[in-house]
Amino acid sequence: MSPEATTEHDRRAEIIDSALRILDEEGVHALTLKRIAHMMDVSDAALFRHYRNKADIVNSMVDFVLRRHPFVDEGGDAWECLENIMRGQLDSFQSCPHHTSVLFQEELFRLYPDVTRSFLREKDAKREALKEILYRGIDEGRFPDDLDVNAFSLLFMGALRIQVLNWRMSGGGGLLADTDEVLAMLKRICEADDI
């Protein structure tokens, strides 16, 4: 990669990082081109060398966060995969706490329809990945045949989201603190014969 390309890539990443930090620390209404430029100690015009407008920055920021935190199926039996996904997501968010602000800015979704579309596309893909694991668990005999994979995948994603929200609202600490209890409850639900 040429030095110019590296510089371009680095500058774009710096803009995204600044936007994420502003969103996390000050909220969506503080996320302006002027504020981003000020945080980076550059002129507003300098941002236009890398992005067309604020919406381009916001969309790139959201795409970056969504790509940075994928569901990773590391193999093993179906339940182990679910555990690994939950722990992996929480660990990933704990290592980049300002990324979680993208997930909890309802105003961001209202103001930027492309963000909503990206988020829904990613949510649907993750839910489909969970359903594939659940169907595999049914085929393996690990989960009952009558497991409602739609409802359970929604419950799993909701549990993940509420853990992150509780962590954000409590001011930090260990995001993985309640994971064992949450996973134990999900496992009981998932493996129950009378669901």
Side-chain angles (χ1 to χ4, degrees), residues 69-120:
H69 305 281
F71 275 8
V72 179
D73 179 349
E74 297 176 350
D77 77 19
W79 181 252
E80 288 172 350
C81 288
L82 294 174
E83 283 184 319
N84 290 337
I85 286 171
M86 176 76 74
R87 290 182 195 287
Q89 286 287 286
L90 295 174
D91 188 51
S92 181
F93 283 129
Q94 186 165 308
S95 69
C96 302
H98 57 285
H99 290 188
T100 63
S101 60
V102 168
L103 304 175
F104 297 98
Q105 292 283 341
E106 300 301 324
E107 192 71 0
L108 193 66
F109 299 116
R110 190 182 69 72
L111 294 171
Y112 299 95
D114 286 343
V115 166
T116 301
R117 284 188 284 279
S118 292
F119 182 80
L120 290 174

Side-chain angles (χ1 to χ4, degrees), residues 15-191:
I15 292 167
I16 294 300
D17 187 60
S18 296
L20 277 165
R21 291 190 186 284
I22 292 166
L23 183 67
D24 186 47
E25 295 167 11
E26 302 172 41
V28 69
H29 293 294
L31 187 59
T32 64
L33 294 175
K34 183 178 283 313
R35 182 71 185 94
I36 294 169
H38 177 75
M39 179 177 261
M40 295 176 58
D41 199 26
V42 299
S43 70
D44 298 10
L47 299 176
F48 291 107
R49 286 187 219 128
H50 308 283
Y51 291 99
R52 291 184 309 271
N53 52 38
K54 179 181 164 186
D56 192 22
I57 293 171
V58 168
N59 290 327
S60 294
M61 174 185 66
V62 170
D63 288 343
F64 170 78
V65 168
L66 293 176
R67 281 192 320 271
R68 173 73 171 72
H69 305 281
F71 275 8
V72 179
D73 179 349
E74 297 176 350
D77 77 19
W79 181 252
E80 288 172 350
C81 288
L82 294 174
E83 283 184 319
N84 290 337
I85 286 171
M86 176 76 74
R87 290 182 195 287
Q89 286 287 286
L90 295 174
D91 188 51
S92 181
F93 283 129
Q94 186 165 308
S95 69
C96 302
H98 57 285
H99 290 188
T100 63
S101 60
V102 168
L103 304 175
F104 297 98
Q105 292 283 341
E106 300 301 324
E107 192 71 0
L108 193 66
F109 299 116
R110 190 182 69 72
L111 294 171
Y112 299 95
D114 286 343
V115 166
T116 301
R117 284 188 284 279
S118 292
F119 182 80
L120 290 174
R121 205 172 24 254
E122 183 68 14
K123 176 195 64 76
D124 291 345
K126 287 182 173 181
R127 194 153 177 221
E128 287 304 313
L130 287 173
K131 289 198 278 189
E132 286 179 25
I133 294 167
L134 292 167
Y135 284 125
R136 190 172 80 220
I138 292 169
D139 291 343
E140 293 170 351
R142 180 73 193 250
F143 307 140
D145 290 339
D146 61 348
L147 176 69
D148 186 337
V149 296
N150 287 315
F152 187 83
S153 62
L154 185 63
L155 183 63
F156 184 94
M157 291 180 74
L160 181 60
R161 185 171 168 88
I162 201 71
Q163 273 191 272
V164 174
L165 180 61
N166 283 342
W167 175 67
R168 283 181 55 82
M169 293 178 76
S170 70
L175 181 53
L176 294 165
D178 296 327
T179 305
D180 289 339
E181 292 82 7
V182 170
L183 284 168
M185 180 57 70
L186 288 170
K187 187 175 186 181
R188 282 195 298 274
I189 293 168
C190 194
E191 293 181 340

